[in-house]
């Protein structure tokens, strides 16, 4: 497979969807606008919610973005797995009542296999257990053998974050190969927690509105909301161990090592600390550049917590505090 840098991959994605009639929009701020349900923008679709619900008219019914995001739900996994980070760039193509399943699935496949050149035999789609339509597209249109298409329940294949637009989704997993199957073999399966099979793309068939209390109603229009973590895509394309080995993040990681006077791969404990500091410094920088300041509440508290966690990892590394205290 050809090597692409992270910045090249971002451009390839936006160019591809521009060629499919999408308007390329800049990333929105990390600070949500008119949305009390979120402290921080956590997905490509979050700043676009009014276009999904029909509350506002989008500049075009097809839009593509690379959105800066913060997610802290998996904070404890950061630095320990190959794929978790609190800051990431989310590539997305969106349809506001325009195209739906039969266009979005082939485009996702074409981008991964023909534009990027990922080996199709290493890709495994999953669908929501009741979504016969998406299953049939993978089987009959994309000609993926049935034993390579996985059916999962709501926990894996129904996308929602807080209130607002949501729906069943189809995900695409990439098999990174046996060499990345660390830990429990039971985790290194499609949909498992291990690092061998990595979810790279999530195509959400956004057709419901969640009122925030678990009540769902039909949206006025059927939409497409996709999310592909740029760093994860780069992990697959660059065939590297983790997001911290991707070309751009590696430069930050090396700077952290240089400042700390610690070699990467000198010990697993030091490596976790270096990855945590790299990730949290990145998140803090983007949050501060979007006007967030450390404080005792709300998004300011998220920032303060990340800075404190990074500082504690530094102190743990120096032996002045136990990492357990962080
Ligand atoms: N909105 C789809 C995703 O973030 O995965």
């Amino acid at each position: 497979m050809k090597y692409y840098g992270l910045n090249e991959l971002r451009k390839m994605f936006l160019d591809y969807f521009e060629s499919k009639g999408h308007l390329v929009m800049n990333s929105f701020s990390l600070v949500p606008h008119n949305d009390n349900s979120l402290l921080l923008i956590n997905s490509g679709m979050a700043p676009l919610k009014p276009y999904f619900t029909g509350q506002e008219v989008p500049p075009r019914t097809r839009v593509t973005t690379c959105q800066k995001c913060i997610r802290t739900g998996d904070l404890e996994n950061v630095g320990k797995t190959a794929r978790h980070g609190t800051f990431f760039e989310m590539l997305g193509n969106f349809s506001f009542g325009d195209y739906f399943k039969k266009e979005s699935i082939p485009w996702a496949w074409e981008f991964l296999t023909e534009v990027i050149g990922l080996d199709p035999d290493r890709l495994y789609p999953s669908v929501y257990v009741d979504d016969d339509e998406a299953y049939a597209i993978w089987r009959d249109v994309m000609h993926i053998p049935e034993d390579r298409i996985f059916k999962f329940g709501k926990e894996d294949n129904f996308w929602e974050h807080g209130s607002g637009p949501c729906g069943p989704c189809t995900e695409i997993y990439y098999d990174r190969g046996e060499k990345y199957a660390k830990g429990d073999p039971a985790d290194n399966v499609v949909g498992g927690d291990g690092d061998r099979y990595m979810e790279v793309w999530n195509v959400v068939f956004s057709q419901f509105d969640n009122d925030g209390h678990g009540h769902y109603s039909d949206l006025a229009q059927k939409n497409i909301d996709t999310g592909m973590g740029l760093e994860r895509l780069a992990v697959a394309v660059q065939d590297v161990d983790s997001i911290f080995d991707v070309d751009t993040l590696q430069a930050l990681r090396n700077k952290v090592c240089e400042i700390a006077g610690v070699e990467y791969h000198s010990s697993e404990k030091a490596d976790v600390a270096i990855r945590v500091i790299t990730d949290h410094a990145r998140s803090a920088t983007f949050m501060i550049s979007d006007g967030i300041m450390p404080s005792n509440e709300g998004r300011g508290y998220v920032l303060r917590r990340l800075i404190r966690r990074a500082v504690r990892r530094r102190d743990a590394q120096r032996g002045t505090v136990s990492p357990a205290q962080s």
Side-chain angles (χ1 to χ4, degrees), residues 42-45 71 90 94 159 161 171 199 202-204 225-228:
N42 59 4
S43 61
M45 67 78 72
R71 274 188 205 172
M90 187 67 103
F94 306 98
W159 196 88
H161 261 278
E171 299 191 315
E199 179 221 317
N202 185 12
V203 179
V204 184
D225 154 28
T226 74
M228 177 154 62

Side-chain angles (χ1 to χ4, degrees), residues 117-187:
L118 292 183
D119 178 355
D121 291 338
R122 287 180 169 223
L123 293 172
Y124 295 83
S126 70
V127 298
Y128 182 57
V129 64
D130 290 336
D131 192 348
D132 297 337
E133 190 186 354
Y135 188 88
I137 294 174
W138 283 115
R139 186 190 55 197
D140 304 334
V141 181
M142 308 311 295
H143 306 297
I144 308 296
E146 287 193 350
D147 61 355
R148 295 174 60 90
I149 310 171
F150 290 76
K151 288 186 178 181
F152 294 136
K154 198 168 175 213
E155 201 177 309
D156 293 296
N157 276 77
F158 190 96
W159 196 88
E160 56 190 336
H161 261 278
S163 60
C166 57
C169 57
T170 185
E171 299 191 315
I172 303 176
Y173 288 83
Y174 179 68
D175 179 4
R176 305 171 65 213
E178 183 64 42
K179 66 181 168 179
Y180 296 114
K182 294 173 197 146
D184 189 342
D187 287 336

Side-chain angles (χ1 to χ4, degrees), residues 245-309:
D245 300 292
V246 160
D247 55 344
T248 49
L249 267 92
Q250 200 186 109
L252 293 177
R253 188 202 72 195
N254 290 346
K255 191 71 191 170
V256 170
C257 291
E258 187 192 312
I259 294 169
V262 179
E263 290 271 323
Y264 197 51
H265 290 332
S266 55
S267 75
E268 180 55 18
K269 185 180 154 206
D271 284 0
V272 172
I274 289 161
R275 291 191 287 257
V276 168
I277 294 169
T278 304
D279 171 79
H280 291 8
R282 198 165 169 242
S283 290
T285 304
F286 276 97
M287 288 169 83
I288 292 166
S289 70
D290 275 347
I292 302 167
M293 295 304 284
S295 77
N296 289 339
E297 57 185 15
R299 60 185 75 91
Y301 182 69
V302 177
L303 172 59
R304 188 175 124 174
R305 189 160 172 233
L306 290 172
I307 295 172
R308 282 172 55 168
R309 283 185 99 250

Side-chain angles (χ1 to χ4, degrees), residues 209-222:
D209 189 49
N210 179 349
D211 68 359
H213 304 285
H215 303 122
Y216 299 90
S217 53
D218 284 336
L219 288 170
Q221 60 195 24
K222 288 185 176 174

